[in-house]
Amino acid sequence: MKKRFVIGFVFLAALTSPVWFFVLKNEFSAFQLEKRLGGAALPDGAKSLGSFSRVFNSGNGDGCDYEAARVIEYYGRVADLQDAYLKLIGSLSDEKATLGLNDTPAKWVAKISNLGTEISVVPNLDFTGKYLVTATTYARDVSPDFRCW
């Protein structure tokens, strides 16, 4: 009985290995985005409280998108924090990032259209001094990864 289970497990693993290859490849791409987001030269007094990355489908087809998020604690000028992330997104491409301000100067989005990448900084209104920084890449690569359908 144990031998049949092991043989069945090996057969199932071999049968699904092409899919798992793409799952791991997509996880690696999301992790790379998280690593790049963490590479911003933050202003003095800013510290990262935590981060994560994920693979998802934003609903625009059968492609994978990647998102990384970081919670930053910072009590200085918001413009300094924005500058740090503008420098980061500027280092990703020769194209100048387009900046879109929202209803408050502390909340903004910068995009690089040729990469399909955007970085946003959103203040947490419940906890003063905390910011959620997200980077999203709309790679749109068709993949057999089940999270991208």
Side-chain angles (χ1 to χ4, degrees):
M1 185 68 162
K2 183 179 178 183
K3 187 176 182 178
R4 284 185 186 173
F5 176 76
V6 170
I7 291 172
F9 181 76
V10 169
F11 178 74
L12 182 63
L15 186 64
T16 61
S17 64
V19 173
W20 290 111
F21 169 78
F22 288 102
V23 168
L24 292 174
K25 178 183 167 285
N26 288 331
E27 282 298 325
F28 180 74
S29 295
F31 176 74
Q32 289 297 100
L33 183 62
E34 180 182 357
K35 188 175 173 183
R36 271 193 241 141
L37 185 63
L42 296 176
D44 290 337
K47 68 179 181 178
S48 176
L49 300 179
S51 67
F52 76 91
S53 61
R54 71 182 182 128
V55 178
F56 70 106
N57 182 321
S58 64
N60 294 329
D62 290 338
C64 286
D65 301 318
Y66 311 109
E67 181 179 47
R70 186 166 291 270
V71 177
I72 304 293
E73 181 177 54
Y74 182 61
Y75 295 98
R77 289 178 357 115
V78 176
D80 294 340
L81 187 62
Q82 291 172 343
D83 286 343
Y85 284 103
L86 278 175
K87 286 178 186 170
L88 174 69
I89 199 168
S91 71
L92 300 177
S93 172
D94 292 337
E95 180 185 345
K96 184 172 169 63
T98 57
L99 185 62
L101 291 174
N102 293 306
D103 52 350
T104 174
K107 182 178 178 181
W108 58 273
V109 175
K111 294 183 181 185
I112 295 180
S113 58
N114 73 349
L115 294 178
T117 299
E118 68 180 32
I119 291 181
S120 67
V121 174
V122 179
N124 186 333
L125 300 178
D126 294 333
F127 299 99
T128 305
K130 307 286 190 301
Y131 297 88
L132 177 64
V133 180
T134 59
T136 307
T137 299
Y138 302 104
R140 308 307 323 145
D141 294 333
V142 175
S143 172
D145 187 337
F146 54 88
R147 297 169 294 176
C148 305
W149 301 338

